[in-house]
Amino acid sequence: MDAGSRYSKFRPPLVNQMSHKKITRENLDRFIPNRSAMDFDYAHYMLSGGKVKKEHYGVNSPSKEAYSKQLAEIFNMNRTRILAFKNKPPHSAERVSESPSSIQQSKTIKKRRYIPQSSERTLDAPDILDDFYLNLLDWGSNNVLAIALGNSVYLWDASDGSATELLTVDDDFGPVTAVSWSPDGRNLAVGLNNSHVQLWNTLQGSSRLLRTLRGHRLRVGSLDWNGHILTTGGMDSMIINNDVRVRSHIVGTYRGHNQEICGLKWSASGQQLASGGNDNLVHIWSISMGSANSTHQWVHRMTDHTAAVKALSWCPFQSNMVASGGGVGDQCIKFWNTNTGACLNSVNTGSQVCSLLWNRHDRELLSSHGFTDNQLTVWKYPSMTKISELLGHTSRVLYMAQSPDGYTVATAAADETLRLWNVFGSPKETKPVLKRKLEPFFDLAQIR
């Protein structure tokens, strides 16, 4: 119970008993915070000025006289506690109701983690494209950020703050439309506007082009790795699995979208792929269904979004759940059971959802947004209550990437800045990484 509701205004019995007396400042109504903490008998005695006996005109017995004398002596031993708390009032954040339900709630109150409201670091990102359908930022396991700026790709080493230019392509090939690190952090895949995908080796001291992958007809805006398989999504609505180890690299094709592929994310197990498109659809695919010889149907098709779906993020502690976010005409974050295709929950955020990232150390979700506030929002899962909103970008926050340890988040926006946020705490203050619950036969529909 808050402080205001614990204060009740009432007329003390003293005023009723002495209603014939002249009303003065000494006996006006009072606000008494806690009746159980007050010495009312002594207060009555002191406020009446020791005239209580004069109000009773009968003769008192010797026993009553002795009792009154003893009572007065006891009261006068603590003159400093007139109408005061017996105990110090609790801090406002700790005041709870006396009811059993409130007491139970108080036992479950946890200290809220502090989240800095400003970015830890801000870097310039000139010429970054303001394009909702592209994916121009990634943070590798080597602790190096890759960011595409126009026709160039730059690498920023988070360990020492050094920045280097990896590549610049001609206008016939560019601009760069997507970047994605391989799991080992050694190779970077680069999607281009001319439909090609380049694979670069980025070992320290030397960077070289390993190979060029061809297969799409239009620009490639989405990339994601599954071991040695690089999955690419293009404006031609095709999704291609590429085995980068072999010469004939196309080993699987998924067809189901009818417009540009905006987002691709493999599950942690590597068995399911989530895709989002400009056709407002979310698809779940199985790795076992990919083949170079035929067109395969999706495992699940979700049609609930009403705008393009770019933001996708698999839950780190529940292996069969993925979160998706819709564009400006939808503004919703939805949670899907990928075994059944059921929508578990939907939350209207009030603005375009550009990107989603789960906290790997707690049950929290981070979303980045566009008009009107261009904010980052930290949500508590599964209640989806807002924990914090982070402001700083002045244009829509199109791209997010998470550090290898999961604590820091990098964001890039159309305001041409790259910002680093300490969103998910630090190793000293955060609980151990939550273990995923790997479900048996995850690629089969289950009855819950």
Side-chain angles (χ1 to χ4, degrees):
M1 183 180 294
D2 58 24
S5 60
R6 294 187 61 178
Y7 287 74
S8 59
K9 185 176 180 181
F10 69 101
R11 183 179 297 277
L14 176 63
V15 177
N16 293 333
Q17 297 174 9
M18 303 178 60
S19 58
H20 65 280
K21 293 182 60 177
K22 182 179 178 180
I23 301 299
T24 65
R25 289 183 180 273
E26 286 75 12
N27 56 26
L28 288 175
D29 290 354
R30 306 183 189 281
F31 289 90
I32 300 179
N34 190 343
R35 296 184 65 177
S36 64
M38 305 305 165
D39 290 330
F40 282 103
D41 290 335
Y42 181 54
H44 181 206
Y45 173 81
M46 294 301 296
L47 290 175
S48 63
K51 299 178 182 179
V52 176
K53 290 189 293 183
K54 295 181 180 180
E55 295 176 5
H56 301 280
Y57 297 100
V59 179
N60 290 334
S61 65
S63 61
K64 289 185 178 181
E65 291 286 349
Y67 173 77
S68 298
K69 182 178 179 181
Q70 184 180 9
L71 191 63
E73 290 177 355
I74 294 173
F75 283 154
N76 281 302
M77 290 175 64
N78 190 8
R79 292 178 176 271
T80 61
R81 308 229 11 118
I82 302 175
L83 296 178
F85 285 101
K86 291 183 177 178
N87 300 308
K88 290 183 179 181
H91 190 274
S92 59
E94 299 173 351
R95 290 174 181 165
V96 294
S97 172
E98 300 294 335
S99 65
S101 60
S102 297
I103 293 175
Q104 182 64 29
Q105 290 177 4
S106 68
K107 294 180 180 179
T108 61
I109 294 176
K110 297 180 180 179
K111 183 178 179 181
R112 178 169 291 182
R113 175 171 55 82
Y114 172 70
I115 301 176
Q117 296 300 295
S118 58
S119 58
E120 183 179 345
R121 191 162 187 173
T122 302
L123 305 172
D124 289 328
D127 300 325
I128 192 168
L129 297 180
D130 182 8
D131 194 325
F132 179 79
Y133 306 104
L134 306 184
N135 294 272
L136 305 181
L137 181 68
D138 197 24
W139 202 329
S141 60
N142 54 1
N143 205 22
V144 176
L145 269 167
I147 183 170
L149 304 177
N151 287 2
S152 302
V153 174
Y154 290 86
L155 305 180
W156 185 79
D157 193 329
S159 302
D160 57 17
S162 62
T164 57
E165 180 182 341
L166 175 66
L167 64 93
T168 297
V169 298
D170 296 334
D171 290 338
D172 294 337
F173 294 87
V176 177
T177 52
V179 293
S180 181
W181 285 105
S182 61
D184 60 9
R186 301 179 61 182
N187 301 316
L188 182 71
V190 179
L192 299 174
N193 193 58
N194 72 336
S195 78
H196 293 175
V197 177
Q198 294 183 351
L199 193 61
W200 287 76
N201 182 276
T202 61
L203 292 178
Q204 284 188 347
S206 64
S207 297
R208 59 191 179 93
L209 176 63
L210 297 177
R211 65 182 304 182
T212 299
L213 309 177
R214 297 173 174 84
H216 289 280
R217 299 186 302 272
L218 298 172
R219 72 176 186 180
V220 179
S222 299
L223 303 168
D224 199 33
W225 290 83
N226 184 9
H228 55 270
I229 300 296
L230 173 63
T231 304
T232 60
M235 186 181 276
D236 55 8
S237 75
M238 290 181 58
I239 301 172
I240 299 176
N241 284 344
N242 302 272
D243 188 336
V244 299
R245 303 171 302 175
V246 299
R247 184 179 183 88
S248 300
H249 54 84
I250 298 179
V251 295
T253 303
Y254 301 112
R255 292 183 175 89
H257 291 279
N258 52 55
Q259 292 192 42
E260 182 170 14
I261 308 300
C262 307
L264 290 172
K265 289 294 178 183
W266 280 100
S267 64
S269 66
Q271 298 299 312
Q272 289 186 321
L273 172 70
S275 64
N278 193 34
D279 50 10
N280 311 343
L281 298 176
V282 177
H283 284 104
I284 303 298
W285 314 87
S286 171
I287 191 172
S288 61
M289 298 173 66
S291 170
N293 301 323
S294 60
T295 300
H296 290 268
Q297 288 282 29
W298 52 86
V299 177
H300 297 293
R301 166 181 274 192
M302 292 81 154
T303 62
D304 293 17
H305 283 291
T306 57
V309 182
K310 172 189 176 184
L312 295 168
S313 187
W314 287 86
C315 180
F317 52 84
Q318 188 172 336
S319 61
N320 66 327
M321 185 174 71
V322 68
S324 61
V328 68
D330 180 80
Q331 305 181 355
C332 290
I333 299 174
K334 298 182 184 295
F335 301 88
W336 308 94
N337 183 323
T338 60
N339 288 335
T340 65
C343 182
L344 304 175
N345 191 16
S346 181
V347 178
N348 192 320
T349 67
S351 59
Q352 179 186 46
V353 183
C354 302
S355 188
L356 293 171
L357 286 174
W358 285 95
N359 184 349
R360 301 176 196 164
H361 311 283
D362 205 345
R363 284 172 163 78
E364 296 173 353
L365 180 68
L366 177 68
S367 57
S368 70
H369 298 271
F371 183 81
T372 60
D373 294 327
N374 310 305
Q375 80 277 18
L376 304 178
T377 302
V378 184
W379 307 85
K380 186 65 178 177
Y381 185 84
S383 65
M384 289 305 289
T385 55
K386 290 184 181 180
I387 298 177
S388 181
E389 284 196 338
L390 309 179
L391 302 175
H393 284 291
T394 57
S395 295
R396 55 183 181 170
V397 188
L398 293 170
Y399 318 109
M400 286 203 302
Q402 198 167 9
S403 62
D405 62 11
Y407 297 109
T408 305
V409 171
T411 60
D415 58 9
E416 298 189 337
T417 63
L418 172 66
R419 295 173 183 262
L420 302 180
W421 308 81
N422 184 18
V423 179
F424 296 138
S426 62
K428 294 181 181 179
E429 64 183 41
T430 311
K431 296 180 293 185
V433 178
L434 296 174
K435 294 182 179 180
R436 285 187 304 111
K437 297 179 180 178
L438 289 176
E439 299 192 5
F441 311 111
F442 50 83
D443 55 343
L444 298 178
Q446 294 183 355
I447 300 176
R448 299 189 59 176

